[in-house]
Amino acid sequence: MTERENITGAEALLLSLLEEGVTDLFGYPGGAIIPLYDKLYDYTDRINHILTRHEQGAVHAAQGYARATGRTGVCMATSGPGATNLITGIADAMVDSTPLVCITAQVAASLLGTDAFQEADIISMTIPVTKWNHQVTSAAELPETIAKAFYIARTGRPGPVVIDITKNAQTEILDRFAYTPCTGLRSYCPEPVVDDESVDRAVELINASRRPLMIVGQGVELSGGEADAIRLAEKCAIPMASTLMGLSAVPTSHPLFVGRVGMHGNVAANEMTQQADLLIAAGTRFSDRVTGDVSHYAPEARVIHIDIDAAEHGKIIKPDVSLVCDARKALSALADKVSPCHERPEWMETAQEAYDRERRYVIDRAVAPAEGDITMGEAVDKVASACGGEAVIVTDVGQHQMFASRYSRLNRTRSFITSGGLGTMGFGLPAAIGAKVGRPDRQVVLFVGDGGLQMTVQELGTVMQSGISVKIVVLDNGYLGMVRQWQQLFFESRYSFTTLADPDFTLLASAYGIASRRVCERDDLEEAVKAMLAHDGPYLLDVAVEREGNVFPMVPAGKSISSLIFSELNDGK
């Protein structure tokens, strides 16, 4: 335990961060937070501060860092607009269960409630989108508050915490600083105990099942339960499907992996959901993008729901067995107790038949078109092939996100980082920056659309200043592609304000000192991808893709996941 005497609140905060193992943080200075930044000047040998170009960039970078490393991401912003600019990322982190500690400055305590310059009530604003928030008005509160913040952010179902610190609390002298990490709170029970009776009922259902399917959500990854999920699946020959957020929790190359479920999921995963007699849903919340029309979801299946958050049980799908506990502990208990079942040939033949049909009607068209412009699918496939499943894949939001989720190869956990529940355009570039800061040992590749890139394109300045070697693949079609796809399919091709006039992204990259190239011809694509990955430093590859390409299969919003569309004319049905 570190002890110091007669230090400012700002220094106490920095020492508290060091006690929590923080080595990297993301932020943007301003008037009310100057005392903290002034003291940070003396700690740059111990804390790596990444100066982003916007507070939204700071919070998304902290998200990418947390998702790539499994550690708690930390970001900082000043009062007023600095703090409010964090809110989108905080909301995104809340719905996607990302552990963050967001530090905001505030006007002096004596000015609270006076509408002082750059005063904003960030506590009231963030109550709905945080696990916990707290305003610190004196230096004496800081050590205990920071300890509590990290404990709450990372335990149980992870999430964001906001700590708002008045300017006077940063400058006040703390007579004695002593830091004790938080290990428990009387009013907070983050790790429910595994209920043995519920485990036994779940084991009975698994042993009796003939057509089981495991749906692997992000909770498996967050809990460190990847190996236990695979152990259970292999012991009982259970096919594994993934949610969007659960991608990379199990290798996409695993013989029992049947793809991703949901609106733009794989045919096998969705059809097997509808035919299963048992669903083991681990660490997933049954999002509407997963279930489609709930009244027609998994009509033949009993349901075992594993999730640490009791509020998720029965909220969308009523389970037959609820295991309200850490996913790793539940999966481990199930794997220990179930009876072995070494193969399910007929059930796996269902997966193979569905995959063959998907390849015939969708995959071949997407990744190996015979003619026409480069497709998003083949661009993703070329990157996936060159990376061999070892890269961290980050995406923004839109068509490219769905193509990346379908055609990336992911052999290692914490390798697919995207904005799921909130679907935040602009997430991709700063999240990729954070991922690379957290995992400098791994290749980090960002897939981003021309629309999403322009929402946080200023973060190219962060890439430049901090020398962050992220590889940026712009899938450039001159549209807000996903909205345009919906307009084409469901609104009579009335492309209302979805056409984009784009800058020359290579010139923009050049202005930031970032190597770049534009590819328009299919024959140049593979070589360009290899050159990008081999480049020592950041790189932007602008790929001109077909302007009105669509991502399929697709389940129309509100329809049953059996209602798959295979093309614009649905010629695969």
Side-chain angles (χ1 to χ4, degrees), residues 181-453:
C182 182
T183 57
L185 297 170
R186 185 174 60 182
S187 59
Y188 173 55
C189 180
E191 294 189 17
V193 177
V194 178
D195 178 53
D196 290 337
E197 287 188 13
S198 296
V199 169
D200 290 341
R201 291 201 304 272
V203 168
E204 290 176 5
L205 290 179
I206 295 171
N207 289 342
S209 173
R210 298 178 60 193
R211 300 185 307 280
L213 178 67
M214 185 188 303
I215 300 178
V216 178
Q218 187 191 200
V220 173
E221 193 172 65
L222 294 174
S223 69
E226 301 94 330
D228 293 291
I230 293 171
R231 182 163 66 97
L232 174 60
E234 290 178 344
K235 186 174 181 179
C236 298
I238 301 172
M240 295 180 288
S242 170
T243 66
L244 176 68
M245 297 297 293
L247 279 170
S248 83
V250 298
T252 56
S253 58
H254 194 285
L256 288 172
F257 185 72
V258 297
R260 184 167 68 80
V261 294
M263 178 175 281
H264 288 288
N266 295 97
V267 174
N270 280 336
E271 290 193 351
M272 293 176 83
T273 297
Q274 297 301 83
Q275 297 175 35
D277 63 7
L278 177 68
L279 290 185
I280 306 167
T284 180
R285 58 189 178 85
F286 288 113
S287 156
D288 61 297
R289 287 298 195 258
V290 167
T291 65
D293 181 357
V294 174
S295 65
H296 293 92
Y297 179 73
E300 301 180 33
R302 309 288 292 274
V303 176
I304 300 168
H305 192 186
I306 303 168
D307 199 287
I308 200 167
D309 188 350
E312 297 296 346
H313 290 260
K315 186 174 78 173
I316 307 296
I317 299 295
K318 181 175 174 56
D320 295 273
V321 177
S322 283
L323 293 174
V324 183
C325 59
D326 176 83
R328 181 186 60 80
K329 293 179 181 178
L331 290 166
S332 179
L334 293 175
D336 287 343
K337 290 188 174 185
V338 292
S339 300
C341 175
H342 298 296
E343 58 180 10
R344 301 179 190 271
E346 293 183 2
W347 189 218
M348 291 308 296
E349 284 174 13
T350 300
Q352 187 61 51
E353 188 279 331
Y355 174 77
D356 291 343
R357 183 154 35 95
E358 183 172 8
R359 173 161 289 284
R360 185 165 64 250
Y361 288 116
V362 177
I363 298 174
D364 287 343
R365 296 179 185 181
V367 304
E371 57 186 6
D373 295 327
I374 299 170
T375 67
M376 287 192 186
E378 67 181 313
V380 171
D381 185 63
K382 286 290 189 290
V383 173
S385 178
C387 291
E390 296 302 308
V392 175
I393 302 299
V394 183
T395 85
D396 205 84
V397 170
Q399 283 183 318
H400 69 276
Q401 176 190 31
M402 297 298 103
F403 277 109
S405 71
R406 289 179 56 78
Y407 300 117
S408 292
R409 299 168 200 174
L410 306 164
N411 293 339
R412 300 168 64 180
T413 191
R414 294 192 176 275
S415 293
F416 191 81
I417 298 172
T418 195
S419 171
L422 203 63
T424 304
M425 288 181 67
F427 171 89
L429 178 55
I433 290 169
K436 186 63 178 176
V437 171
R439 294 304 307 265
D441 57 316
R442 297 188 65 185
Q443 186 80 269
V444 175
V445 178
L446 166 67
F447 289 109
V448 61
D450 45 324
L453 178 60

Side-chain angles (χ1 to χ4, degrees), residues 465-508:
Q465 182 167 345
S466 296
I468 298 168
S469 298
V470 65
K471 313 303 183 186
I472 303 164
V473 181
V474 186
L475 299 181
D476 186 351
N477 61 5
Y479 278 110
L480 297 176
M482 187 60 86
V483 182
R484 185 213 56 76
Q485 176 169 334
W486 281 49
Q487 288 174 333
Q488 178 185 350
L489 297 177
F490 310 119
F491 292 88
E492 300 177 342
S493 296
R494 291 160 59 88
Y495 296 165
S496 179
F497 299 98
T498 46
T499 305
L500 293 175
D502 290 329
D504 184 328
F505 291 114
T506 62
L507 289 179
L508 193 58

Side-chain angles (χ1 to χ4, degrees), residues 59-86:
V59 66
H60 289 327
Q63 288 179 271
Y65 182 93
R67 297 269 295 280
T69 64
R71 301 169 65 187
T72 301
V74 182
C75 61
M76 304 196 307
T78 195
S79 64
T84 60
N85 282 341
L86 295 178

